[in-house]
Amino acid sequence: MVSTSDPVGRSVMKLYLASGLVVAILMMLVGLAMRMSQAQWLSMPPEIFYELLTLHGAGMIIALLICAMGGLWFLMRRRITLSAPLAVAAWALIILGVVGVVISAVFGNYAGLYTFLYPLPFMGNWHGWATGVFLIGMMLINTGWMIWCFQMLGAVFRAYGGLRGAMGWNFVWRPKKFAAAGHKPPPPEAFPALVAGVDGLLTGMAGMLLGIALLVRWIDPRVLIDPLWAKNFTYFYMHAIANLIIYMLAAFIYVGLSYATKREYHTSKVFVIGWWSSLVFILTNYFHHLYMDVSAQPQILQYFGELSSYLTAIPVTAVTVFGALMLVWRSRTRWTLGAVFMYSGLIGWVVGGVGAEIDASVPFNVHLHNTLWVPAHFHTYLLGGCLLFILGWVFLLLESRSEHSTSKLVRWLIFTLSFGGMMVFLSGFYFGGATGVPRRYATQPPPGPLIAQFATIGAIIMLVGFTLAFFEGLRLRSNFSADRMLWPQDLKDKVS
Amino acid sequence: MKASNSTSRMITGGMVVVGTILIFGGSAATLSPLGMTSIPVHHLLHAAMTLGAGMVAIVLAARLPVKYSERSVWVVSAVLAPIFGLLLMWPSEYAYLMDHHGLHLLDHVGIIAFSGLAVFAAQAYVRGLGWPMLVMMVAMNAAAAGGFGVAPAPSALLSLPLSTVTAENMGGTSVLATAPTSLHALGEQVSQNMGCGACHRVDGTKGIGPTWKNLAGYPQKLADGTTEVANYQFLRDAILHPEHLQLEGFPPNRMPTTYGAMLSGPAHSDEHELNAIIWYINSLSDLSTPASQPPVPDAIKK
Amino acid sequence: MAAASKLLLMFLFLTAGIGSVFLAVVLSTRHPVEDQTEIHHRGYAIRWKWFLFVTLFLLSAFVSTLPFFPYLPSVTAQGPALRVPVIAQQFTFIMPSHVPLQQRIVFEVTSRDVNHNFGIYNSKGELIAQTQAMPGYVNDLEVTFRKSGRYTVRCLEYCGVGHALMEKEFTVGGY
């Protein structure tokens, strides 16, 4: 699974994973402080609450994105040439951007949120310079992201024969000719790489345009910007970035879950077509953020947004998740912590998807838009999906090389605390959303702080579970055997 | 491309010709005496120039020796060049540039250069990346036409008087439905309509903003340690220019500056509603004196 | 029961179902098999059926939601209605404090400064209608109030430090 003969590649992956996880942990603590404030167990003025919310949102997305970038980069480096210095340069730009965001929020009191919805960044209670530093920080992050996407896309093109080869075009439409010429389709993990590269660059360009427009406006207040145009671009960009994280982490499923179940996942026509549709849907889903612009937004886009958001579920459930379930069904999986985390992440993806599809239905959106239902579904995706995939990956790496193994008791304890606490925490959001509690409120309107208190307890339990996992990870790390073979020799079973 | 040699030569030649025409057309346009096009059209014309620059760039990049491809410098250039190109499209300066042809030409040459560099770098890095980059660059420039440098005017609803928007002509039995007989009663209605009570409580408790009870005429501690009595001028400044005031115990810039614009200026030259609010604040204080009261009597003039 | 509570029940029901499927698959690993061919055949057959089911379900769900979209075609937008202007601004809503019962109302919602959201809660605290309040644009939200009482408007789009305090009450009917 992970070759011991590529120390440079592994170092780059560790750089991304470690920095991403450190930022994630800090941001989870920030999130806990916010939920405690809403529970009225911690007192903070609204200025501070919204600064923390800005940090938490931007920080968590970037942290999980960095982890996904690092892991996918490493997986693809086993197959194609990827320059390590360029990957580190991209990482450095992103980290520099994160520093900018932190400075603007902590020292400049910037509280315009990670959606920086025009014209709010220019009409808040924070210092003017903080807006500029935040915007420059986001531009740096976007630049680093685009460099990574460019590198990934270029490598995939070179290795598999341009856009058509990387998409598996001839493999699907002319299979006999393709096979007769001795060609093989790209491996499964190359498709998340392709989609991240294409969609990342496309939306990155949109983010660049928006970022420059806002920066120019910051320097010269005479510049006009259309707020509806800005809103469309903001959501086109931010939705794709957030959505791409979990699609990139699908590569972890294809390689990591295969390893844990001792079966192989390989590219098939159904698989390829599923990824083609995801490539498109990731771009066209963003309209569901504008349902409540009932007159301003062109109506045809609303219909299109609902259809696209609905159909997204097809490739996810019928291809990736179903394929993963087939990998696991009656397999000889050893349910180590890594396998458990990886598998539970799938549940988070599907359950989060159900919450999302409900919200993506326009008549329901009237009752749920911008209530706590929205953070309910994306925390399910990011916490119950993405973070668990990342933890699963990290633990599979640790377990494969460690002489130690985790005892059954500790496994049960960590899983129950983490997953159980997470469910309690998330249900606070779902119940809040169902009772109409608005999102992004520093104080809790009726029915009061009770739901927030419940959620805070869940979050604390979950964090205890993660802390235990951290120490268990250190223990596994303490007894590494550098020469252990990592890739099972006797793979027989193929699943697609 | 799988096309035969002659077809591919035709395509390459065509790209160079069309691209060069677009580049020269875009540059020559800066020297023409034609008047200012609208900003959206201007963006679309930039997009056409980018298309031309990109087409030429792809042809040039194909001539690059293989040993120069796959260098990291191309990736960095391809990502940074569009940023600089976009910075050369500064909508608030378009009118200025239309009058200064030399600068305008330089500006366009810069846009052409950066667009070309971006596409060249993409194609140089990996063959096949040039076309997608070209499409994205052109799309980005065209998309700017949708909202960079243009915005709709504020809705006509904003210029309706406060009393029209909050009209009680739809019935109802609330306190706000009764016609006020004194200026301070009008002030109570206006402050409720404008939502002042969300932050300024009238029962003496501190909220997001200071309470209005026993405010007028009382000394106020400022954040810099000094004290100032809340007389009429103080109250007027606090409402119209809250960004200049910071009280002890409150963070700066909490109060929006919108109320100032709604209560003063040419449409409100008599400051009728502003004085009504200040009379209302006075009515809640037991230290209200002529120094803290507005210079008009507490009566509704008809 | 409020619409949103029904949605929560539906969500919980589906989640329980999903959880059971995942649990069943985990438990199956207690009885592993070596030869995968039979499993693959049945697996692909199930996948095909699942694909057809989920596609048909989503397409029919899409069609069935269409009549309930809150977007006014321009013809009906001009029809007879009481037009009520609402101006959202940091941090209040400028609007009448009373509207009539059983009357087609079109709230013309705009903003003076940043993006806000005009969200109407009934006296039971249920969110019954909402639309975005944007600077430079007007969103027409059609509502017909069938019950008299006190309604509360809350801002549902983060707009700055006073976002959580931005609310307005209005009454409907002979209250």
Side-chain angles (χ1 to χ4, degrees):
Chain A
M1 174 175 73
V2 290
S3 163
T4 48
S5 62
D6 181 15
V8 170
R10 276 183 18 252
S11 302
V12 171
M13 174 178 71
K14 278 191 265 188
L15 182 68
Y16 273 81
L17 278 176
S19 54
L21 284 171
V22 164
V23 175
I25 290 167
L26 288 171
M27 290 307 137
M28 280 197 273
L29 292 172
V30 167
L32 177 65
M34 280 160 42
R35 212 65 174 115
M36 284 176 74
S37 161
Q38 289 175 330
Q40 288 173 17
W41 286 341
L42 191 62
S43 170
M44 62 173 78
E47 286 85 355
I48 304 288
F49 180 87
Y50 291 120
E51 273 170 43
L52 292 184
L53 182 51
T54 304
L55 271 181
H56 175 78
M60 281 309 296
I61 295 265
I62 302 301
L64 294 173
L65 184 68
I66 291 175
C67 290
M69 287 162 79
L72 183 54
W73 188 89
F74 179 78
L75 285 179
M76 290 309 295
R77 191 164 146 112
R78 301 177 309 142
R79 311 281 193 184
I80 58 185
T81 338
L82 283 171
S83 151
L86 192 58
V88 173
W91 173 88
L93 282 169
I94 295 177
I95 296 297
L96 201 59
V98 169
V99 169
V101 168
V102 170
I103 289 176
S104 73
V106 172
F107 298 107
N109 306 118
Y110 179 75
L113 296 195
Y114 55 95
T115 37
F116 52 89
L117 199 59
Y118 179 80
L120 183 62
F122 307 104
M123 292 180 113
N125 60 304
W126 43 86
H127 301 282
W129 65 260
T131 304
V133 171
F134 178 84
L135 290 173
I136 291 170
M138 293 301 274
M139 286 291 297
L140 286 169
I141 291 170
N142 191 36
T143 307
W145 163 242
M146 285 181 73
I147 288 177
W148 183 94
C149 290
F150 228 101
Q151 183 191 41
M152 187 58 68
L153 193 60
V156 166
F157 272 27
R158 209 185 324 114
Y160 303 116
L163 181 62
R164 287 172 77 170
M167 281 180 68
W169 191 258
N170 289 334
F171 169 67
V172 169
W173 300 123
R174 298 191 196 112
K176 293 202 185 67
K177 233 173 117 179
F178 187 79
H183 291 143
K184 284 208 158 23
E189 60 267 27
F191 286 85
L194 171 74
V195 168
V198 172
D199 288 353
L201 272 182
L202 249 171
T203 55
M205 283 287 204
M208 190 192 282
L209 172 61
L210 178 68
I212 294 288
L214 292 174
L215 264 173
V216 167
R217 162 65 179 80
W218 176 66
I219 296 172
D220 184 353
R222 294 174 302 160
V223 171
L224 297 174
I225 294 179
D226 185 320
L228 184 64
W229 175 88
K231 193 188 276 196
N232 271 277
F233 269 80
T234 305
Y235 285 113
F236 181 53
Y237 175 57
M238 292 307 293
H239 173 89
I241 293 244
N243 205 190
L244 277 173
I245 300 174
I246 206 160
Y247 283 95
M248 289 160 76
L249 291 171
F252 284 5
I253 297 292
Y254 300 146
V255 179
L257 201 58
S258 295
Y259 167 72
T261 55
K262 307 181 184 41
R263 289 178 177 168
E264 202 182 296
Y265 202 110
H266 78 177
T267 312
S268 69
K269 285 203 260 282
V270 169
F271 178 84
V272 172
I273 295 173
W275 275 99
W276 290 353
S277 51
S278 292
L279 179 90
V280 172
F281 290 143
I282 290 170
L283 299 171
T284 53
N285 281 352
Y286 90 91
F287 297 116
H288 64 223
H289 292 271
L290 283 109
Y291 284 161
M292 291 297 107
D293 287 276
V294 295
S295 314
Q297 182 80 338
Q299 277 189 33
I300 184 74
L301 297 178
Q302 312 284 31
Y303 295 99
F304 190 59
E306 192 190 80
L307 185 61
S308 166
S309 303
Y310 272 2
L311 296 179
T312 303
I314 301 174
V316 172
T317 54
V319 178
T320 296
V321 175
F322 201 92
L325 289 177
M326 278 181 70
L327 274 182
V328 176
W329 179 259
R330 303 193 76 180
S331 61
R332 289 170 291 135
T333 310
R334 248 186 73 235
W335 288 105
T336 62
L337 211 48
V340 166
F341 275 144
M342 190 78 85
Y343 185 73
S344 330
L346 288 168
I347 304 178
W349 195 351
V350 180
V351 170
V354 172
E357 295 288 56
I358 292 175
D359 200 10
S361 312
V362 176
F364 299 158
N365 192 254
V366 171
H367 301 285
L368 299 174
H369 176 73
N370 276 354
T371 63
L372 285 181
W373 191 273
V374 179
H377 106 261
F378 71 65
H379 277 88
T380 312
Y381 273 149
L382 293 172
L383 197 54
C386 296
L387 185 65
L388 290 184
F389 285 155
I390 294 166
L391 287 178
W393 178 253
V394 168
F395 272 92
L396 283 178
L397 290 178
L398 289 170
E399 286 153 6
S400 66
R401 296 185 65 198
S402 182
E403 297 285 357
H404 286 148
S405 63
T406 317
S407 72
K408 199 164 177 181
L409 173 67
V410 173
R411 270 184 276 151
W412 266 105
L413 195 59
I414 291 177
F415 175 68
T416 314
L417 289 174
S418 310
F419 204 70
M422 188 187 298
M423 287 208 294
V424 173
F425 169 65
L426 292 174
S427 55
F429 284 137
Y430 283 107
F431 276 97
T435 49
V437 176
R439 68 185 294 210
R440 298 169 169 170
Y441 261 39
T443 51
Q444 294 294 277
L450 188 64
I451 298 180
Q453 290 169 343
F454 192 62
T456 305
I457 293 172
I460 293 174
I461 294 172
M462 178 185 73
L463 288 173
V464 168
F466 285 155
T467 311
L468 283 178
F470 174 71
F471 284 112
E472 178 58 21
L474 285 180
R475 196 185 75 92
L476 290 173
R477 181 74 181 77
S478 69
N479 211 330
F480 254 17
S481 169
D483 303 318
R484 265 174 79 128
M485 268 307 293
L486 302 162
W487 189 236
Q489 298 290 348
D490 53 355
L491 282 181
K492 288 197 286 272
D493 318 311
K494 292 179 195 302
V495 170
S496 52
Chain B
M1 284 190 247
K2 294 202 308 210
S4 69
N5 249 353
S6 60
T7 325
S8 73
R9 267 208 293 266
M10 262 172 42
I11 293 174
T12 310
M15 278 167 65
V16 173
V17 168
V18 173
T20 314
I21 292 175
L22 286 170
I23 290 173
F24 274 101
S27 311
T30 61
L31 303 169
S32 87
L34 287 173
M36 168 83 170
T37 59
S38 67
I39 289 180
V41 172
H42 211 140
H43 282 300
L44 291 174
L45 293 175
H46 287 166
M49 265 184 354
T50 300
L51 179 63
M55 286 168 108
V56 172
I58 287 184
V59 172
L60 287 177
R63 295 191 168 320
L64 198 67
V66 172
K67 66 176 182 194
Y68 293 123
S69 69
E70 293 172 37
R71 296 288 176 89
S72 298
V73 67
W74 295 128
V75 174
V76 177
S77 311
V79 173
L80 290 181
I83 295 178
F84 291 107
L86 277 172
L87 283 171
L88 288 174
M89 300 178 203
W90 201 284
S92 52
E93 298 294 352
Y94 283 1
Y96 178 82
L97 286 176
M98 292 297 291
D99 288 333
H100 295 79
H101 298 286
L103 276 176
H104 200 172
L105 176 64
L106 208 57
D107 185 73
H108 275 202
V109 167
I111 292 173
I112 290 164
F114 285 119
S115 310
L117 175 60
V119 177
F120 181 91
Q123 183 76 350
Y125 183 59
V126 171
R127 292 195 70 128
L129 269 180
W131 275 110
M133 189 65 174
L134 174 65
V135 168
M136 284 193 284
M137 294 281 301
V138 173
M140 189 169 68
N141 285 341
F148 185 24
V150 286
S155 160
L157 294 176
L158 292 183
S159 41
L160 291 174
L162 187 67
S163 50
T164 309
V165 181
T166 59
E168 292 310 308
N169 56 4
M170 295 172 227
T173 55
S174 79
V175 142
L176 295 178
T178 52
T181 47
S182 61
L183 205 53
H184 80 260
L186 174 67
E188 183 180 4
Q189 282 189 6
V190 171
S191 68
Q192 284 196 13
N193 282 328
M194 290 177 75
C196 309
C199 301
H200 298 284
R201 307 217 185 111
V202 297
D203 60 1
T205 54
K206 176 182 168 183
I208 289 288
T211 177
W212 278 0
K213 186 177 164 79
N214 287 340
L215 168 68
Y218 276 82
Q220 305 299 314
K221 283 216 194 86
L222 303 184
D224 58 8
T226 59
T227 306
E228 223 182 291
V229 175
N231 58 18
Y232 170 72
Q233 199 55 40
F234 177 92
L235 293 171
R236 186 174 177 280
D237 281 343
I239 295 172
L240 297 185
H241 299 289
E243 69 277 12
H244 293 155
L245 177 66
Q246 194 188 349
L247 294 175
E248 189 194 69
F250 294 96
N253 297 323
R254 243 187 203 176
M255 176 159 157
T257 51
T258 350
Y259 301 109
M262 291 171 73
L263 293 166
S264 64
H268 307 273
S269 49
D270 61 356
E271 297 190 354
H272 185 60
E273 282 159 340
L274 176 63
N275 287 330
I277 293 176
I278 298 179
W279 261 117
Y280 175 56
I281 295 174
N282 269 274
S283 73
L284 297 169
S285 171
D286 48 17
L287 266 191
S288 163
T289 64
S292 63
Q293 292 158 8
V296 294
D298 182 16
I300 300 282
K301 35 180 197 279
K302 272 294 176 210
Chain C
M1 189 196 261
S5 305
K6 287 188 211 143
L7 295 174
L8 179 67
L9 271 179
M10 173 167 55
F11 168 78
L12 290 173
F13 176 70
L14 287 169
T15 303
I18 291 163
S20 325
V21 168
F22 275 84
L23 188 61
V25 172
V26 168
L27 291 174
S28 78
T29 60
R30 289 187 180 173
H31 310 284
V33 291
E34 288 302 324
D35 177 22
Q36 298 296 303
T37 359
E38 179 55 32
I39 288 184
H40 283 187
H41 271 129
R42 287 199 296 156
Y44 292 144
I46 297 174
R47 180 175 76 176
W48 173 239
K49 291 196 188 76
W50 169 255
F51 167 77
L52 282 177
F53 168 71
V54 85
T55 307
L56 287 171
F57 175 75
L58 290 171
L59 286 174
S60 44
F62 172 71
V63 168
S64 55
T65 55
L66 291 179
F68 302 99
F69 277 26
Y71 309 119
L72 297 178
S74 41
V75 168
T76 4
Q78 312 303 333
L82 183 62
R83 309 196 77 85
V84 177
V86 174
I87 300 169
Q89 61 183 68
Q90 287 169 325
F91 298 104
T92 188
F93 293 94
I94 311 275
M95 58 177 291
S97 55
H98 180 88
V99 295
L101 187 61
Q102 304 288 16
Q103 153 99 52
R104 181 170 177 252
I105 295 172
V106 172
F107 289 102
E108 301 174 314
V109 183
T110 186
S111 165
R112 195 183 296 275
D113 39 41
V114 301
N115 285 282
H116 300 272
N117 181 305
F118 176 70
I120 304 178
Y121 288 76
N122 64 16
S123 44
K124 286 197 260 174
E126 297 161 355
L127 178 59
I128 58 170
Q130 58 166 302
T131 188
Q132 290 274 302
M134 287 192 66
Y137 289 89
V138 177
N139 278 314
D140 292 330
L141 179 68
E142 177 181 347
V143 184
T144 305
F145 292 98
R146 308 215 180 271
K147 275 179 123 137
S148 65
R150 271 189 205 290
Y151 289 76
T152 308
V153 177
R154 291 219 169 84
C155 178
L156 293 182
E157 184 67 61
Y158 175 67
C159 53
V161 68
H163 170 61
L165 301 165
M166 195 168 149
E167 63 180 63
K168 207 60 181 298
E169 262 192 25
F170 65 91
T171 53
V172 171
Y175 199 80

